Amino acid sequence: MKSVWSAMLLCISGMVVAQTPVYLDDTQPIEDRVEDALARMTLEEKVALCHAQSKFSSPGVPRLGLPENWMTDGPHGIRPEVAWDEWYQAGWTNDSCMAFPALTCLAATWNPDMALLYGKSIGEEARYRNKNVLLGPGVNIYRTPLNGRNFEYMGEDPYLASEMVVPYIEGVQACGVAACVKHFALNNQECDRHRVDVDLSDRALYEIYLPAFKAAVQRGKTWAIMGSYNLYKGQHCCHNQILLNRILRDEWGFDGVVVSDWGGVYNTREAAYNGLDMEFGTGTDGLSVSASDAYNHYYLAQPFLNEVKAGNIPESVLDGKVRNILRLMFRTTMNRNRPYGSFKNPAHAEAARQIAAEGIVLLQNRDRVLPIRLDKTRKILVVGENAIKMMTVGGGSSSLKARYEISPLDGLRARVGDAAEVIYARGYVGNTDGSYNGVVSKVDLSESRSADELLDEAVSLARDADYVIFVGGLNKNSRQDCEGKDRESYGLPYNQDRVIEALARVNRRTVVVLVSGNSVAMPWADRVPAIVEGWYCGSEAGNALASVLVGDVNPSGKLPFTMCERLEDYHAHALNDPLVYPGVGYKQFYKDDIFVGYRWSDLQKSNKPLFCFGHGLSYTTFEYSRVTLDRKQMTAADTLRVRVTVKNTGRRAGAEVVQLYVSDAESSLPRPLKELKGFEKVMLQPGESREVEFLLDCTSLSYFDDTKHEWVAEPGRFEVLVGASSGDIRSKAGFELR
Ligand code: BGC
């Protein structure tokens, strides 16, 4: 390798001057540059790269001009600056970001172009703010609706999450910012998240919980991955031999950085040997007493250096980590060709609004009560705390300091303007606390009236309104959609059911808008004509919601998870076994195995979901042709072409998500009745038809065979099912794998 340690010592007028190192320039392969930099570093400098120096940064190598690494949450916007050693705000006035919709909403767009737009927009904000690692996106699977962090993830289906995570990563990394996909792996609940030890079959691991991470690594080429807090087979996931060494590095060939979750490291040797590269957030004695050398107490700091110096851990182990970290730096901070990024960019507001509007799901629309007909409307009553509560503040590490947040009430008022009167009644009081880590909500939610008084007010106003828009759901307070704890029950909190029922009794045009990242019980579903899943939509929430309610936007979102009627309709709860959820003595076994979400509800004769995976209505209607296949038989080497024509049979332009599921009719192992293996969102003008084509190869037909430890496509009969949701299959066709 050519050494360009050319700037060594230079004699100028008799003086010896140390010059700035000149690295191999960026026309040289990254691997050569990594080796070049590594060769110049001392042992101490190498170890310093492997752990934090502040809450969100790790040191570079100042002597060699290698910059620091700066991380930021993620995944819905760029976190405000915090003090060096604390979680509270640093008090900057230039760090208010664009809040993008929560990832459940992004997943509900079923549109990879939206994921690319999202990634690019948030990547530009991260880049502008001088962050080189974005802590997100998250792709843990929706296994139980009680998981407090589901709103940060992409739903229950491994294929959907895979298709959506890849473009998100590509968008972020095009900005010269690393995506850090989290939380690897099996962090599917917040309850006991630091201690729960998860076990499950290899089949469930590979078929359900790993595919989105694998896609992130192999197709998205993510530059970083975050280890999760929980344990897997007795070992913490931040230094887990099976997950990090065997699967991530050996099987998938990951060449990026493994970052610990904040405080997820417990042991120097395991961290050294089991695949972790960078340690963050560890609470050490030094740290809690704010010793100046707190970060030196980290497992991958002085204790690691001591072990290497004593010869107990070979230097090659350290070099492996440093190579990964240098690679990250050459891909980001040391890449002088990376774009500059932008902040306060109107294009980001437009992106946030567009993603939100595409993700909002029209769950039910009896008698076509929506869209609101403004020409025939005098008065709209908006009821509910979530119509005014700021949802960008709270929820844990994804909490934001947004430049602005349009509430549903303000959004609707702005859109309706003088066309009708929009009045508001609180209806109920939920959680009036609107602050998080020093970011204080600008909305005063204090209320002195009793629950009955609030209800009476709402009901009496409802009698005389043309429409009642109830905006409720969950919020970002603890034990709702919030990191750290799971929800305590499936029902809506704060007696909202009572309010909805009362409103529906007096106004037959009562529309329920759920603001949440999780499914909830809806005992009133058959008594209200319309239900909308409005998600947490970020800065542009109110504008996006209003555009759907009045029909400027024809809804096209589809559910990324199943909405069951009762908690026990979810497999993790159906078994009524605490070992399955939430664990017994911190041990957990996923007896629900591969039958998660629709894979479980498809097998049930009764208790069908209230709203199926993939469900979402439009203001227009779509007709599907018969599905055709280009062959009736295929071999493992062949590709099957599946074609279907979709026609917009209504009077409005609209987009339909055409979904393709595969069913294995004969199999030696139990398999789900069907599994999503393709989808495409098509925009159609009234009367327009479009042929959609899917290509399937045998990877779409395979299951993971535990005993062979490989994917197997078993010869036999298969069916292709095409439809508008997992519960609305419009056409099927069979073929044989030989
Ligand atoms: C969360 C991570 C987050 C980190 C830094 C942890 O508590 O689990 O998702 O990125 O904090 O804020």
Side-chain angles (χ1 to χ4, degrees):
M1 189 186 62
K2 181 174 73 157
S3 171
V4 285
W5 187 230
S6 54
M8 295 224 224
L9 296 174
L10 211 91
C11 271
I12 304 171
S13 349
M15 278 175 60
V16 177
V17 180
Q19 287 244 316
T20 311
V22 176
Y23 292 95
L24 287 177
D25 65 53
D26 43 19
T27 59
Q28 302 301 312
I30 280 196
E31 293 311 308
D32 290 356
R33 302 173 75 199
V34 165
E35 294 305 324
D36 175 40
L38 181 71
R40 301 163 193 257
M41 292 167 62
T42 66
L43 211 54
E44 285 75 9
E45 286 168 343
K46 291 179 189 175
V47 170
L49 286 190
C50 301
H51 61 89
Q53 61 172 5
S54 75
K55 274 281 179 248
F56 284 99
S57 72
S58 62
V61 187
R63 181 180 66 88
L64 299 178
L66 291 168
E68 297 167 340
N69 290 298
W70 277 89
M71 323 260 157
T72 177
D73 286 300
H76 305 143
I78 307 306
R79 188 176 177 140
E81 301 297 331
V82 296
W84 188 258
D85 218 5
E86 306 291 342
W87 291 109
Y88 63 71
Q89 305 303 297
W92 292 22
T93 54
N94 57 354
D95 58 349
S96 299
C97 69
M98 178 55 53
F100 297 95
L103 293 193
T104 34
C105 176
L106 174 64
T109 67
W110 291 58
N111 186 348
D113 292 344
M114 287 298 109
L116 184 66
L117 176 67
Y118 195 126
K120 186 171 163 285
S121 309
I122 195 171
E124 284 172 354
E125 299 227 338
R127 173 68 185 96
Y128 183 85
R129 290 266 304 278
N130 280 322
K131 310 300 178 192
N132 68 321
V133 181
L134 176 76
L135 303 173
V139 286
N140 295 89
I141 290 292
Y142 192 111
R143 174 175 180 258
T144 158
L146 299 187
N147 180 9
R149 272 188 112 166
N150 278 336
F151 71 101
E152 286 188 65
Y153 303 138
M154 298 197 190
E156 73 184 29
D157 185 76
Y159 181 84
L160 175 64
S162 301
E163 294 308 297
M164 298 302 284
V165 75
V166 169
Y168 183 117
I169 296 166
E170 289 168 346
V172 171
Q173 296 191 165
C175 302
V177 173
C180 183
V181 180
K182 60 194 191 182
H183 304 88
F184 189 67
L186 302 166
N187 187 180
N188 303 105
Q189 67 187 45
E190 288 300 279
C191 182
D192 298 325
R193 65 175 175 165
H194 294 277
R195 297 176 71 175
V196 69
D197 181 3
V198 180
D199 202 354
L200 73 173
S201 72
D202 274 1
R203 190 168 173 212
L205 181 68
Y206 278 80
E207 286 189 22
I208 305 294
Y209 296 100
L210 293 186
F213 288 104
K214 183 179 179 187
V217 169
Q218 295 193 329
R219 289 167 50 209
K221 309 227 173 305
T222 186
W223 293 333
I225 282 230
M226 183 188 286
S228 60
Y229 281 135
N230 52 289
L231 299 88
Y232 165 61
K233 287 197 194 292
Q235 204 166 47
H236 274 101
C237 293
C238 288
H239 29 81
N240 189 291
Q241 155 67 13
I242 302 175
L243 289 176
L244 300 180
N245 284 345
R246 199 199 294 166
I247 297 178
L248 183 64
R249 298 277 180 203
D250 296 349
E251 291 184 12
W252 300 349
F254 179 61
D255 70 357
V257 167
V258 176
V259 180
S260 75
D261 200 345
W262 267 231
V265 183
Y266 293 85
N267 182 307
T268 297
R269 286 200 173 203
E270 278 191 10
Y273 285 113
N274 291 352
L276 182 70
D277 299 309
M278 296 176 108
E279 179 186 1
F280 274 83
T282 303
T284 64
D285 289 345
L287 192 61
S288 58
V289 297
S290 270
S292 57
D293 64 345
Y295 293 94
N296 220 22
H297 294 276
Y298 274 36
Y299 295 99
L300 284 187
Q302 192 65 39
F304 186 31
L305 182 63
N306 293 346
E307 293 274 52
V308 176
K309 277 190 168 160
N312 297 331
I313 296 177
E315 191 173 344
S316 58
V317 169
L318 170 62
D319 285 350
K321 299 181 192 309
V322 175
R323 282 193 181 92
N324 294 336
I325 299 166
L326 287 170
R327 200 173 291 122
L328 171 83
M329 292 156 87
F330 282 111
R331 285 166 165 167
T332 58
T333 49
M334 294 291 284
N335 171 8
R336 73 178 116 208
N337 296 321
R338 66 185 178 143
Y340 290 114
S342 61
F343 209 56
K344 303 191 177 179
N345 182 345
H348 297 168
E350 176 52 21
R353 193 203 52 73
Q354 200 184 341
I355 295 161
E358 263 207 41
I360 290 170
V361 183
L362 181 61
L363 293 171
Q364 176 168 298
N365 194 20
R366 296 208 184 107
D367 309 324
R368 296 185 181 208
V369 73
L370 288 175
I372 295 171
R373 280 168 216 107
L374 284 180
D375 53 339
K376 296 189 180 141
T377 301
R378 272 174 317 110
K379 194 189 277 182
I380 301 170
L381 170 66
V382 177
V383 182
E385 186 169 286
N386 287 357
I388 56 170
K389 188 174 169 80
M390 276 187 80
M391 292 296 183
T392 55
V393 184
S397 57
S398 61
S399 181
L400 296 172
K401 183 165 110 186
R403 273 181 61 213
Y404 65 91
E405 178 179 340
I406 312 276
S407 69
L409 179 62
D410 288 346
L412 198 62
R413 280 199 168 134
R415 173 59 186 87
V416 170
D418 296 334
E421 194 186 355
V422 179
I423 54 173
Y424 175 72
R426 180 76 170 261
Y428 66 92
V429 175
N431 194 310
T432 55
D433 178 18
S435 61
Y436 188 84
N437 271 349
V439 177
V440 182
S441 159
K442 298 175 189 80
V443 186
D444 177 8
L445 292 175
S446 58
E447 174 60 67
S448 55
R449 288 171 292 172
S450 72
D452 285 344
E453 284 171 318
L454 293 172
L455 182 63
D456 289 348
E457 178 198 44
V459 169
S460 72
L461 292 171
R463 287 181 210 282
D464 171 45
D466 297 300
Y467 287 89
V468 175
I469 313 290
F470 176 87
V471 187
L474 304 174
N475 58 37
K476 300 279 193 73
N477 292 97
S478 186
R479 293 207 173 278
Q480 300 221 23
D481 285 325
C482 184
E483 183 179 335
K485 292 195 168 78
D486 281 350
R487 294 165 64 196
E488 278 170 324
S489 64
Y490 189 48
L492 278 176
Y494 321 127
N495 265 323
Q496 292 176 71
D497 291 342
R498 176 172 95 125
V499 183
I500 296 169
E501 310 250 6
L503 294 170
R505 270 197 294 274
V506 299
N507 192 310
R508 58 187 182 83
R509 288 209 199 126
T510 296
V511 175
V512 175
V513 177
L514 295 169
V515 174
S516 73
N518 255 318
S519 181
V520 297
M522 301 180 218
W524 31 260
D526 58 356
R527 266 156 284 154
V528 296
I531 309 174
V532 175
E533 176 52 68
W535 311 118
Y536 300 110
C537 283
S539 291
E540 287 286 322
N543 290 338
L545 181 65
S547 67
V548 168
L549 293 178
V550 305
D552 298 338
V553 167
N554 189 353
S556 63
K558 301 267 188 172
L559 284 178
F561 52 78
T562 307
M563 288 188 159
C564 292
E565 206 167 312
R566 309 166 311 163
L567 184 63
E568 54 271 36
D569 298 337
Y570 292 91
H571 199 182
H573 301 279
L575 299 168
N576 196 16
D577 179 349
L579 190 60
V580 179
Y581 177 89
V584 178
Y586 306 116
K587 293 266 179 229
Q588 188 172 34
F589 192 82
Y590 286 6
K591 293 185 192 168
D592 44 334
D593 206 58
I594 57 167
F595 297 100
V596 174
Y598 67 91
R599 287 168 167 77
W600 171 247
S601 35
D602 272 357
L603 298 173
Q604 307 312 304
K605 297 237 157 23
S606 54
N607 304 323
K608 289 289 179 196
L610 194 54
F611 301 111
C612 292
F613 171 78
H615 169 77
L617 302 174
S618 164
Y619 296 146
T620 186
T621 46
F622 300 99
E623 204 175 82
Y624 285 62
S625 72
R626 280 185 61 84
V627 55
T628 61
L629 308 180
D630 69 338
R631 56 177 85 222
K632 286 281 165 211
Q633 291 180 337
M634 70 182 277
T635 68
D638 291 330
T639 302
L640 180 74
R641 276 173 200 280
V642 182
R643 294 196 179 99
V644 66
T645 299
V646 183
K647 181 174 182 187
N648 181 346
T649 47
R651 284 198 294 263
R652 299 194 42 147
E656 170 69 325
V657 179
V658 183
Q659 302 166 37
L660 179 148
Y661 297 83
V662 168
S663 172
D664 187 352
E666 312 159 19
S667 149
S668 47
L669 288 184
R671 293 197 71 175
L673 280 188
K674 60 178 180 298
E675 294 175 77
L676 184 73
K677 295 296 172 185
F679 62 87
E680 192 168 326
K681 194 164 197 172
V682 279
M683 181 70 194
L684 296 170
Q685 297 303 315
E688 189 186 350
S689 305
R690 181 98 51 90
E691 186 182 75
V692 179
E693 183 180 85
F694 299 97
L695 300 179
L696 295 185
D697 62 22
C698 77
T699 51
S700 308
L701 313 180
S702 311
Y703 60 80
F704 189 81
D705 186 331
D706 287 47
T707 49
K708 294 189 185 147
H709 198 79
E710 63 185 32
W711 290 89
V712 173
E714 217 175 31
R717 280 189 308 112
F718 287 83
E719 259 190 338
V720 163
L721 297 80
V722 173
S725 83
S726 67
D728 184 8
I729 298 302
R730 304 288 179 89
S731 177
K732 300 179 188 180
F735 67 97
E736 193 184 338
L737 177 70
R738 305 178 79 182

